[in-house]
Amino acid sequence: MSDIAVVGGGLAGISAALACADAGAKVTLFEKRSQLGGLTRSFNHDGLCMDNGQHVFLRCCTAYLDFLDRIGSAGDVELQDSLQVSVLRRHQDPATISRSSWPAPLHLSRSLLAYRPVPWQQRLRLGLAAVPLRRLDLDDPALDEQTFATWLSTHHQTRAAIGALWDLICLPTVNLPAEEASLAMAAKVFQTGLLSDKRAGDIGWSRLPLGRLHGERSATALRKAGVDVRRGCPVDAVRPFSPPPGAPESAGFAVQAGGTAHRADGVVVALPHHLVEAVLPDGALPAGVRPSQLGSSPIVNVHVHLDRRVTDLPFAAGLGEAAQWIFDRTTSSGATTGQYLAVSISGADRYGAVRPAQLADEVVE
């Protein structure tokens, strides 16, 4: 396949286009927006460069780290030498989750035994869930038939422990609280990120606006790789190629975009689940598979520009507050006064009907 079309200019589409180009193919990438980067983009507001939402990665995200290296952005991210998360609580001293040099899963034991948001007696029971969670078979379909909270409760975890610890990790990664999250998804997160390798959970984040880290750097990398990037060009459909009358038969596909058809030997469709069905040709999905019927869970981001600095932490978690995760983006935004904090709220269904001003007041408080 020498002529490849890629539909979608998010991280998956960019990665696919670069991989195909690196393998020697002629590649055309179609993106409906004017910017590359998909859901990781930036915009300007009141003189600040803001990200549409905050994204972090873990040391175990090796494919993402390889992607950053490929587009020339590996030097523009921070990655902790050792996991450390400050957990903030109203009117109480901060708590900390950190790791030691002990092998996994013991690397977290010292920190969790001192983790004050979980009552002392319940801290001793955390291992009663952590050890069997590490041993679950991720290929077992039964894991997807129960919630994470149900499984935790059968392994001696109280509601207080779930809220103060397990949801602290489950909510921002699975984007649902433990009482709604699939055990299969939660087990994947904890096994890969925390329970199998002591270094896997070290946290990383961008020093740049995400639009520069991903979109602009990707545009440069794609251009150097010879990829034809067509922005502002939504794809309507991918269909089997039909040659004009009298022309010889030719296999492949026709990518219909902007009123024209682009022929390709192969096509990579990298679109969100609710859009992909309308684009794919008949027979591309197995019978009965309907991505459009998958559910979704919202993330809300609140941007707060304060007139003074209120924290020296690069990021922190919040317990029992609207401000679930707080990121200091003052430097990356270009702010010259005060402090700019980006607040991320996962599993944010209850905020769908809340007015922005009301939500902002709640977050600031």
Side-chain angles (χ1 to χ4, degrees):
M1 295 185 181
S2 59
D3 194 329
I4 303 296
V6 176
V7 182
L11 302 195
I14 295 167
S15 180
L18 289 170
C20 292
D22 291 345
K26 177 184 176 182
V27 182
T28 303
L29 177 113
F30 298 87
E31 166 54 42
K32 70 176 182 179
R33 294 191 178 96
S34 60
Q35 296 179 342
L36 297 175
L39 294 179
T40 65
R41 57 186 183 273
S42 305
F43 60 94
N44 292 314
H45 179 73
D46 286 347
L48 300 181
C49 185
M50 298 178 171
D51 298 325
N52 69 314
Q54 287 313 299
H55 299 260
V56 300
F57 62 93
L58 305 181
R59 191 181 295 276
C60 62
C61 299
T62 53
Y64 174 68
L65 288 167
D66 289 343
F67 173 76
L68 292 181
D69 186 60
R70 176 62 184 83
I71 64 174
S73 287
D76 294 306
V77 295
E78 296 281 349
L79 180 57
Q80 293 178 329
D81 293 329
S82 182
L83 170 67
Q84 181 163 330
V85 178
S86 295
V87 182
L88 310 181
R89 300 175 293 163
R90 190 186 293 245
H91 307 310
Q92 299 184 64
D93 292 335
T96 302
I97 296 177
S98 59
R99 70 171 175 87
S100 69
S101 59
W102 295 352
L106 297 177
H107 65 309
L108 297 173
S109 58
R110 183 186 303 167
S111 174
L112 294 182
L113 285 173
Y115 185 62
R116 292 185 301 275
V118 175
W120 167 248
Q121 298 88 341
Q122 296 174 33
R123 291 179 226 166
L124 298 174
R125 298 179 182 177
L126 294 175
L128 297 177
V131 172
L133 185 62
R134 186 177 185 232
R135 295 172 178 168
L136 288 176
D137 179 4
L138 298 180
D139 294 325
D140 183 357
L143 270 60
D144 206 34
E145 298 175 1
Q146 63 177 308
T147 67
F148 187 36
T150 298
W151 184 90
L152 287 171
S153 65
T154 63
H155 288 77
H156 312 287
Q157 303 304 296
T158 64
R159 184 179 297 273
I162 293 173
L165 178 64
W166 299 104
D167 262 346
L168 189 73
I169 300 165
C170 180
L171 189 53
T173 54
V174 181
N175 199 25
L176 286 172
E179 64 182 16
E180 299 178 47
S182 157
L183 172 59
M185 298 295 291
K188 169 62 179 174
V189 167
F190 280 89
Q191 284 191 15
T192 305
L194 289 172
L195 299 176
S196 300
D197 182 340
K198 68 181 181 182
R199 302 177 72 241
D202 300 342
I203 298 175
W205 61 93
S206 175
R207 291 196 296 261
L208 302 177
L210 294 176
R212 288 181 57 194
L213 185 80
H214 294 148
E216 293 181 16
R217 296 288 173 76
S218 292
T220 300
L222 289 165
R223 183 174 62 252
K224 290 181 178 179
V227 176
D228 179 8
V229 178
R230 302 187 183 184
R231 309 187 203 196
C233 190
V235 169
D236 301 315
V238 176
R239 299 291 181 257
F241 179 73
S242 298
E249 290 293 326
S250 176
F253 299 92
V255 178
Q256 299 171 4
T260 62
H262 173 89
R263 187 199 169 279
D265 297 314
V267 183
V268 176
V269 179
L271 294 178
H273 68 278
H274 62 285
L275 299 176
V276 69
E277 282 180 53
V279 172
L280 291 175
D282 293 340
L285 293 172
V289 174
R290 299 290 307 279
S292 62
Q293 295 184 353
L294 288 169
S296 61
S297 179
I299 300 175
V300 169
N301 289 272
V302 179
H303 304 265
V304 182
H305 189 192
L306 303 169
D307 63 358
R308 71 205 72 183
R309 292 194 65 86
V310 297
T311 179
D312 292 325
L313 297 171
F315 67 93
L319 271 186
E321 307 290 346
Q324 290 177 10
W325 285 83
I326 306 159
F327 300 87
D328 182 4
R329 303 299 288 168
T330 306
T331 300
S332 67
S333 71
T336 57
T337 61
Q339 186 171 30
Y340 162 45
L341 301 176
V343 178
S344 182
I345 307 172
S346 300
D349 290 277
R350 76 183 185 92
Y351 293 106
V354 176
R355 293 181 178 274
Q358 178 185 342
L359 176 57
D361 289 343
E362 187 176 342
V363 167
V364 169
E365 181 188 356

